[in-house]
Amino acid sequence: MGQQSLIYTSVARGTVILAEYTEFSGNFNTIAAQCLQKLPASSNRFTYNCDGHTFNYLVDNGFTYCVVATESAGRQIPIAFLERVKEDFSKRYGGGKAANAKAKSLNREFGSKLKAHMKYCAEHPEEISKLAKVKAQVSEVKGVMMENIEKVLDRGEKIEVLVDKTENLRSQAQDFRQQGTKIKRKMWIENMKMKLIVFGIVAVIIIVIIISVCRNLNC
């Protein structure tokens, strides 16, 4: 499973999103927030499907953990990912400031942790699947309620999930920086060449003057 299988993740208290992370841009975070407000109280695990993507939720102790994934990621990986995030978040903030934290206020300190969990699960899908089986999550995943998002959000029109990789923008910026570095290096070399030429000319002039003075003084 590639890194692009996991698209977006967040942690919320009720409907207040405390931290989130994604490397993409699109409307998936808006859809995820809308689904967050529609979560039923009948279960603590939910998976909504929409336009080739799944919106997975895990509710525990007043906090809701979400991950948006492509359908190719399956169901074990997203749920196992949410379990990892829940355990980490609970250890860090159990009974702490998360209970009164404002919206997005934990982005700076926990956003990087969400990124790390997402990267690990994306790069080690087989290990994550094995851990899910060890924890008997296979049967739990099968019991996860799964509905279509159009039905949940009660919309008449078809919902399309838009995902654009902002990594492309970063790579373009990186290329631009690399080009800028090459240009600076080239200019530095040209500048050094010019300085060496000027130094050489000055040195020749000084030598000529010294020789002329020595001849006049019979050095």
Side-chain angles (χ1 to χ4, degrees), residues 13-27:
R13 184 188 67 247
T15 58
V16 179
I17 296 177
L18 304 178
E20 61 182 354
Y21 175 77
T22 184
E23 291 185 350
F24 301 80
S25 62
N27 66 344

Side-chain angles (χ1 to χ4, degrees), residues 164-204:
D164 294 319
K165 193 74 167 70
T166 55
E167 187 66 35
N168 292 333
L169 298 178
R170 284 200 289 271
S171 63
Q172 291 175 6
Q174 185 176 2
D175 291 341
F176 180 78
R177 287 194 297 270
Q178 290 176 348
Q179 291 176 1
T181 302
K182 289 180 180 179
I183 292 174
K184 287 182 180 179
R185 187 180 296 124
K186 184 177 181 180
M187 291 178 63
W188 182 83
I189 293 175
E190 293 294 333
N191 189 35
M192 287 300 298
K193 285 181 179 179
M194 184 61 66
K195 288 182 178 179
L196 290 174
I197 291 173
V198 172
F199 176 79
I201 293 174
V202 171
V204 170

